[in-house]
Amino acid sequence: MTVSRRTVLKAGIAGLAASAVAGCNNGAADRGAGEVIYWLWDSAQLPMYTECAKVFQQQNPQYRVRIEQYGWNDYWNKLVTGFISGTAPDVFTSHSSRYPLFADKGQVLPIDDFVAADKVDLSIYQKGLADRWVGADGKRYGLPKDWDTEVYFYNSALTDAAGISAEQLNSMTWNPSDGGTFEQIVARLTVDAKGRRGDQPGFDKNNVKVYGLGYSDAGGADGQTSWSWYAASNGWVYSEGQPWGTKFFYGDPKFTETIGWWRGLITKGYMPTYAQAKSGVDITTSFGAGKYGLTPNGSWMLGTYAGLKGVKTKLARLTQGPNGKRMSMMNGLADTIWAGTTRREASWAWVKFLGSQTAQDIVAKAGVVFPAVTASMPAAKAAFAKAGWDVTPFLEPVEAGNVFPYPANPNAADVAAVMSPAMESVMSFASDPSSLIKANNDVNKILAANA
Amino acid sequence: MTVTTSPPRKRRSLGDLKVAMIFLAPATLGFVVFYIWPTLRGAYLSFTEYSLLSAPKFTGLDNYDRMVHDSFFWNALGVTVEYVVINIGLQTVLAVGIAMLMYRLTKSITVRAVVLLPYLVANVVVALVWYWMLDYQVGIVNQALSWVGIDPVAFFGDSHWAIPTVALINVWRHMGYTALLVFAGLQTIPSYVYEAAEVDGSTELKTFWRITLPLLRPVLVMVLVVTMIGSFQIFDTVAVTTQGGPINATRVIYYYIYERAFTRFDFGYASAMALVLFAILALISLLQLRLLRAKESDLA
């Protein structure tokens, strides 16, 4: 057989076209009608969700689940381009900071009808968790899968050396004027190059070897792991509606005095300067190198801290503030369905399964995150205990009801674009806390323009 | 009068054209689909309000008007220019130096390969490795500085240091590659010029300034234009290290465009900025070519 140039050309074009079509992995042609594509970003959770998929497929032989995992940054970019090009996954893990926008743009499927038809019991979840996934429009967009709160992770060798007991660490009080017993402890934990502590005479604040308190960033618009619990226990709220705000209060004196006190720890030498804190790989690496006494962080970081072999890490409650409470932000993830899916029934079946106790028991036993289903919590607690963690400080604010939600907003990215540089500017002493009044006005202007 | 039938020469050239078209087609197709079309669409989107998730809305010159009043945009341009000046300035000088050393001292292929090595490592990997090495508290560089009695430097966290740090990392990565380009240019300079200089008793330094550098000009112009366009597009190093911070110190124009588009879904505005950047780069390239008389060689 002779092959003409034309044939070669035609074959080439056909090949190009074929590969272009194959590029759409959500194309209906190349997978079965019951096959659901599911995305998540946390590689640590991939094994347990693979296990969940196995059980799901045994229970529902008509469906299949294909799990794909992408790192946090890639994840959201890929997702958005997927929405446009029609290649988004049928079901994906979602976050409070992102889903309001997706819901606003009609990219996630409201599941109210499914929930009603299947009589899904929403009372099995930790209090308030299911309602986080009810959007500003009153529609429900997902079933909760896990939750998180914050605590102080502390280096117990350093606290022992400073003569600070676990009881003292777990009963810290805080106020914006003198920082309470918390600031005393942080001062004691700070050690300068000559071995003098922050509360001892002659302490050289310009030559600090170990800082009492670490921080990863200026906190941006949410301050989740940096300042949120101080401000909340000082009686401050993010916005007039929780979690759906149309007017923010970053200019409120209760907030600015909190930030003013917080950055004061830098002046006193108990916390690194903003330049130093940001000129590092991350807060856990420095903590692992023994550079911090206390570092506040979220429960999703337990695995990372467990991996720090050079230090012995323990958990302490957050501080008790002027309102007499220990407050923590409580956030969580949910599984949501893409509005453009061609497999609604299968997608819903998978979401429903992931929201069930069967699935969450599997997740709980892995000891990576806290499951959203209350009845699955003992299994998670046991798994964490086996890894050497007493996770009680994470659970207490939830049980006591002293939690507040992540500030949800369809314009979260625009709010962050104003608040991140503004907070960084304050923390690096380029501007005063009072400059947050102007930043807050900018935020509210953006929200008003988009309302 | 001559015969009026078409000369055979013309027909033959048309035949060539057909074959040429076939050979050009794949590249042209790619160019049109992946460059021309997106550029035209970007130009159109720059006149719209477009959030990706809903249809674009025509808003005329609104985006351009916004840009004029957007302090973040001007900051981004300023920061980018600072980056380009440090990056290109240092990189070009070092590259010429390395090229001269290679040209005069060694013919070793191994040396040439080693010089190219940093360029072969992915941008993101280079950035991350340096990010670790330059860590304020646990990085090896600050450890080394402390041994010689210098206080640690917050390379990425200090707003004065952040851009120079990012620029220097990329100088390290690119100077070897640039040196090879310059080295290739050095080899085009005929040896008789040097011989003549030697006969005239010219010093090494004088030869470099009076002969090497002027004769290298066409190559240097090419290198400058190409590296400068690349330099303006600095993105990945910033994306994996400072992410625009501290405050806005490293929010370079590409990163700002990216943030506007992909985290804030402001694709219309992002397109407008991209188009302005395109115009700036075109203008700079033209200026460079004109000022440095790229088309002329002093050899002629």
Side-chain angles (χ1 to χ4, degrees):
Chain A
M1 186 184 123
T2 57
V3 181
S4 73
R5 261 202 320 241
R6 192 168 300 225
T7 318
V8 171
L9 201 67
K10 269 185 191 162
I13 289 170
L16 267 178
S19 58
V21 169
C24 316
N25 67 1
N26 208 11
D30 62 337
R31 61 188 173 109
E35 186 173 313
V36 175
I37 293 179
Y38 175 62
W39 280 13
L40 74 170
W41 64 76
D42 187 0
S43 57
Q45 300 192 40
L46 190 55
M48 55 232 222
Y49 281 96
T50 310
E51 174 70 26
C52 285
K54 222 157 67 192
V55 176
F56 173 71
Q57 284 163 188
Q58 278 162 9
Q59 291 181 1
N60 305 276
Q62 73 275 34
Y63 298 136
R64 293 200 62 74
V65 178
R66 198 204 302 170
I67 302 180
E68 293 171 14
Q69 181 256 327
Y70 303 98
W72 171 268
N73 285 323
D74 274 353
Y75 187 87
W76 301 106
N77 287 349
K78 273 185 95 77
L79 195 60
V80 171
T81 43
F83 289 156
I84 304 144
S85 59
T87 59
D90 305 289
V91 181
F92 59 95
T93 309
S94 201
H95 189 270
S96 319
S97 66
R98 312 283 173 142
Y99 102 87
L101 176 71
F102 297 159
D104 193 48
K105 302 287 180 195
Q107 295 298 321
V108 279
L109 194 70
I111 55 169
D112 301 82
D113 295 344
F114 288 121
V115 170
D118 285 1
K119 298 193 178 63
V120 175
D121 184 4
L122 297 169
S123 68
I124 63 167
Y125 302 112
Q126 290 282 355
K127 210 178 109 207
L129 217 47
D131 289 347
R132 290 302 153 69
W133 299 91
V134 176
D137 54 4
K139 290 181 188 152
R140 187 176 298 279
Y141 287 100
L143 290 183
K145 58 195 285 166
D146 57 27
W147 59 270
D148 51 70
T149 50
E150 281 71 48
V151 298
Y152 292 107
F153 290 75
Y154 68 90
N155 181 329
S156 62
L158 295 179
T159 53
D160 286 350
I164 298 163
S165 68
E167 289 73 44
Q168 283 173 298
L169 285 161
N170 277 297
S171 55
M172 295 188 287
T173 59
W174 171 83
N175 66 69
S177 43
D178 68 3
T181 63
F182 173 68
E183 187 170 325
Q184 291 164 17
I185 285 175
V186 167
R188 179 117 194 98
L189 280 170
T190 306
V191 185
D192 74 8
K194 292 211 172 103
R196 290 169 301 212
R197 297 193 169 273
D199 58 357
Q200 287 173 343
F203 166 70
D204 179 8
K205 63 176 189 177
N206 296 316
N207 236 323
V208 175
K209 209 175 67 193
V210 176
Y211 288 99
L213 183 65
Y215 64 114
S216 53
D217 53 42
D222 57 77
Q224 185 174 24
T225 59
S226 45
W227 44 254
S228 63
W229 59 97
Y230 307 120
S233 68
N234 198 26
W236 178 78
V237 288
Y238 289 88
S239 53
E240 96 291 356
Q242 297 235 44
W244 300 102
T246 53
K247 238 180 101 188
F248 278 81
F249 301 134
Y250 297 110
D252 186 295
K254 282 187 175 144
F255 181 69
T256 53
E257 71 176 358
T258 302
I259 299 304
W261 162 82
W262 186 44
R263 78 168 191 171
L265 296 181
I266 297 173
T267 322
K268 291 166 188 158
Y270 306 157
M271 213 159 70
T273 63
Y274 184 73
Q276 292 166 5
K278 281 306 279 182
S279 198
V281 179
D282 52 41
I283 188 172
T284 46
T285 307
S286 300
F287 180 83
K291 302 287 183 186
Y292 294 136
L294 304 173
T295 53
N297 227 325
S299 47
W300 65 90
M301 292 299 284
L302 280 162
T304 308
Y305 278 89
L308 302 173
K309 296 301 174 204
V311 290
K312 177 112 186 61
T313 311
K314 288 184 180 170
L315 310 176
R317 293 174 180 144
L318 292 176
T319 49
Q320 182 177 31
N323 72 353
K325 291 177 189 169
R326 298 181 194 282
M327 308 279 291
S328 174
M329 180 184 283
M330 185 187 190
N331 193 29
L333 309 178
D335 291 308
T336 50
I337 302 174
W338 176 38
T341 179
T342 49
R343 293 156 169 81
R344 285 192 179 197
E345 294 300 327
S347 297
W348 164 246
W350 173 236
V351 167
K352 192 173 95 174
F353 176 76
L354 288 180
S356 72
Q357 196 186 336
T358 315
Q360 304 221 349
D361 276 342
I362 297 173
V363 173
K365 278 181 200 130
V368 176
V369 291
F370 300 138
V373 174
T374 320
S376 300
M377 260 321 283
K381 247 177 127 167
F384 279 110
K386 226 168 101 187
W389 294 114
D390 175 10
V391 291
T392 317
F394 285 112
L395 310 178
E396 283 172 346
V398 179
E399 282 156 7
N402 292 335
V403 288
F404 54 94
Y406 188 97
N409 194 297
N411 303 105
D414 289 319
V415 174
V418 174
M419 286 310 295
S420 296
M423 290 300 300
E424 287 174 21
S425 183
V426 171
M427 288 308 282
S428 47
F429 290 82
S431 34
D432 286 322
S434 59
S435 67
L436 296 172
I437 297 171
K438 190 197 167 288
N440 190 58
N441 290 341
D442 291 347
V443 165
N444 287 336
K445 246 183 258 167
I446 291 173
L447 294 183
N450 284 300
Chain B
M1 233 183 104
T2 45
V3 204
T4 49
T5 51
S6 56
R9 199 169 53 88
K10 204 173 172 187
R11 199 181 300 155
R12 202 166 56 234
S13 74
L14 260 179
D16 282 350
L17 184 71
K18 209 172 161 190
V19 177
M21 294 282 261
I22 291 169
F23 277 103
L24 282 172
T28 313
L29 189 78
F31 189 67
V32 170
V33 171
F34 295 109
Y35 286 88
I36 301 288
W37 172 242
T39 307
L40 290 177
R41 183 154 167 80
Y44 160 69
L45 288 177
S46 76
F47 299 106
T48 66
E49 190 189 313
Y50 181 40
S51 74
L52 259 197
L53 302 172
S54 38
K57 198 171 80 195
F58 191 79
T59 54
L61 289 171
D62 271 12
N63 288 327
Y64 293 91
D65 184 53
R66 262 170 83 191
M67 210 185 305
V68 175
H69 299 105
D70 180 3
S71 61
F72 286 99
F73 169 74
W74 293 108
N75 171 70
L77 268 190
V79 168
T80 310
V81 167
E82 188 191 344
Y83 170 84
V84 170
V85 168
I86 300 173
N87 178 237
I88 295 301
L90 213 60
Q91 178 176 301
T92 311
V93 171
L94 286 172
V96 170
I98 294 172
M100 282 304 289
L101 288 176
M102 283 201 291
Y103 186 61
R104 302 303 299 267
L105 298 181
T106 174
K107 295 267 178 290
S108 158
I109 303 276
T110 316
V111 170
R112 283 180 219 171
V114 168
V115 162
L116 193 62
L117 218 54
Y119 186 72
L120 299 180
V121 186
N123 261 338
V124 170
V125 176
V126 168
L128 283 177
V129 167
W130 279 100
Y131 197 43
W132 275 85
M133 297 207 307
L134 297 175
D135 184 290
Y136 184 82
Q137 290 170 314
V138 297
I140 190 167
V141 173
N142 275 320
Q143 290 289 328
L145 287 179
S146 74
W147 291 328
V148 294
I150 298 173
D151 284 339
V153 180
F155 288 102
F156 288 101
D158 187 313
S159 45
H160 303 294
W161 273 102
I163 273 288
T165 302
V166 173
L168 286 175
I169 289 173
N170 285 319
V171 167
W172 178 80
R173 181 174 183 266
H174 290 269
M175 66 184 179
Y177 176 71
T178 314
L180 276 193
L181 295 178
V182 176
F183 180 71
L186 284 174
Q187 288 177 320
T188 63
I189 301 173
S191 57
Y192 65 79
V193 198
Y194 286 115
E195 284 156 18
E198 209 172 319
V199 169
D200 288 346
S202 168
T203 62
E204 189 84 14
L205 210 64
K206 216 168 180 179
T207 310
F208 175 76
W209 285 114
R210 294 284 173 79
I211 297 176
T212 310
L213 217 50
L215 291 182
L216 208 52
R217 205 192 53 232
V219 174
L220 272 183
V221 172
M222 187 275 287
V223 167
L224 270 177
V225 169
V226 172
T227 53
M228 199 175 273
I229 291 174
S231 187
F232 263 96
Q233 301 177 1
I234 166 71
F235 174 80
D236 24 24
T237 316
V238 168
V240 297
T241 58
T242 58
Q243 290 165 354
I247 313 179
N248 294 306
T250 59
R251 192 155 280 120
V252 290
I253 188 74
Y254 247 56
Y255 195 74
Y256 186 49
I257 292 173
Y258 160 81
E259 275 188 329
R260 275 284 176 182
F262 287 95
T263 65
R264 300 173 69 180
F265 300 101
D266 204 349
F267 275 80
Y269 187 51
S271 298
M273 285 194 288
L275 213 67
V276 166
L277 182 64
F278 173 75
I280 292 173
L281 288 182
L283 202 72
I284 290 176
S285 305
L286 268 176
L287 263 175
Q288 275 179 320
L289 291 170
R290 185 65 62 83
L291 285 175
L292 294 164
R293 294 173 294 135
K295 277 193 268 183
E296 304 160 33
S297 166
D298 292 349
L299 268 179

